[in-house]
Amino acid sequence: IKMAPYNLSTLQLDTLKEIGNIGAGNAATALGQLLDKVVMIDIPQVKLLGLDALNTADFFKEPKEISLAIYSKILGPLKGGTLVLFSKSDSLRMSDILLQRSLGQTQLLTLVDMSALSETAYILCCSYLNAVGDILNLKQLIPSIPQVAVDNIDNINRVLVKKFVGSEVSHIMSIENNIVIDAITINLFVTFLLEQESVKKALEILGI
């Protein structure tokens, strides 16, 4: 069954943006502690999309480019999953930072690189789920142990999302993140894949 995207009001959009901002603040603090560096995160946009309306252009300008997706199921009162999406170039830059290499040194992602990126993605997902939980007053929202997929974003959108989370997912909440660490900018997306009932539940709790 295809679900039409919500026509969100200004208040609903502002609330989603606030969730993104709080999550970004949590994530910046957590990453800063992990790296022992000052981390700044800016949120250019937050979108709530119907799964049937999902377009690769909503994520990367080059959808055929190989990308890295780190995905987890959401455990707790909301049903769905989380995806953290890196372009290939941003995943290489992030690996340089995480493993304390000079910028440009990482040319190919090894198992060690993907493990470090997976740990970072898990921290990001926990930060955002904490923000969602705080705003909705829903406790015990945590991501499951993450899994990693390397593919082009076309395939991740069309195949991985439904295969991983299942046919009940109807909407995607996409949060773009510009992360600045030591003047190095990393662009990534933290994406929630939510079942229809979870979207309705969240909006009802917010009273919007």
Side-chain angles (χ1 to χ4, degrees):
I1 299 174
K2 288 194 173 185
M3 305 300 299
Y6 278 111
N7 293 317
L8 297 179
S9 67
T10 300
L11 177 59
Q12 289 171 329
L13 287 171
D14 286 346
T15 302
L16 292 181
K17 186 70 179 280
E18 184 61 18
I19 289 173
N21 287 333
I22 295 173
N26 292 348
T29 300
L31 284 179
Q33 291 172 346
L34 175 69
L35 299 171
D36 195 24
K37 297 178 184 291
V38 176
V39 176
M40 304 294 291
I41 302 182
D42 179 50
I43 305 294
Q45 63 178 353
V46 179
K47 294 181 180 179
L48 184 65
L49 305 165
L51 189 61
D52 61 312
L54 185 62
N55 188 304
T56 53
D58 288 311
F59 293 112
F60 299 126
K61 293 180 181 178
E62 300 295 336
K64 298 296 183 183
E65 182 184 90
I66 296 298
S67 306
L68 183 77
I70 300 158
Y71 51 100
S72 303
K73 285 190 176 181
I74 296 174
L75 306 176
L78 294 183
K79 303 299 181 185
T82 63
L83 281 173
V84 177
L85 299 170
F86 291 88
S87 69
K88 180 181 179 180
S89 58
D90 283 308
S91 67
L92 296 176
R93 277 196 292 271
M94 193 69 184
S95 289
D96 285 334
I97 294 169
L98 292 171
L99 297 172
Q100 299 181 347
R101 300 171 180 146
S102 58
L103 190 62
Q105 185 176 344
T106 305
Q107 297 295 317
L108 184 67
L109 294 177
T110 66
L111 289 176
V112 172
D113 295 305
M114 286 192 281
S115 177
L117 289 166
S118 179
E119 180 182 351
T120 302
Y122 188 81
I123 290 170
L124 289 169
C125 289
C126 286
S127 299
Y128 277 97
L129 284 174
N130 284 340
V132 172
D134 287 344
I135 289 175
L136 298 180
N137 197 27
L138 295 175
K139 306 303 180 186
Q140 297 180 324
L141 281 177
I142 58 172
S144 67
I145 295 172
Q147 300 180 57
V148 180
V150 179
D151 206 334
N152 69 57
I153 196 65
D154 265 341
N155 288 340
I156 288 171
N157 281 350
R158 286 197 303 252
V159 179
L160 181 60
V161 168
K162 287 187 177 180
K163 180 180 178 181
F164 167 58
V165 184
S167 59
E168 296 302 313
V169 167
S170 62
H171 285 78
I172 287 179
M173 180 179 165
S174 169
I175 305 170
E176 185 175 357
N177 294 257
N178 286 334
I179 302 176
V180 180
I181 307 168
D182 284 350
I184 301 168
T185 299
I186 308 291
N187 182 248
L188 59 86
F189 290 81
V190 176
T191 304
F192 292 92
L193 304 100
L194 297 172
E195 295 183 4
Q196 174 76 2
E197 288 304 310
S198 291
V199 175
K200 289 173 62 178
K201 180 177 183 178
L203 294 177
E204 285 171 2
I205 290 172
L206 293 168
I208 50 176

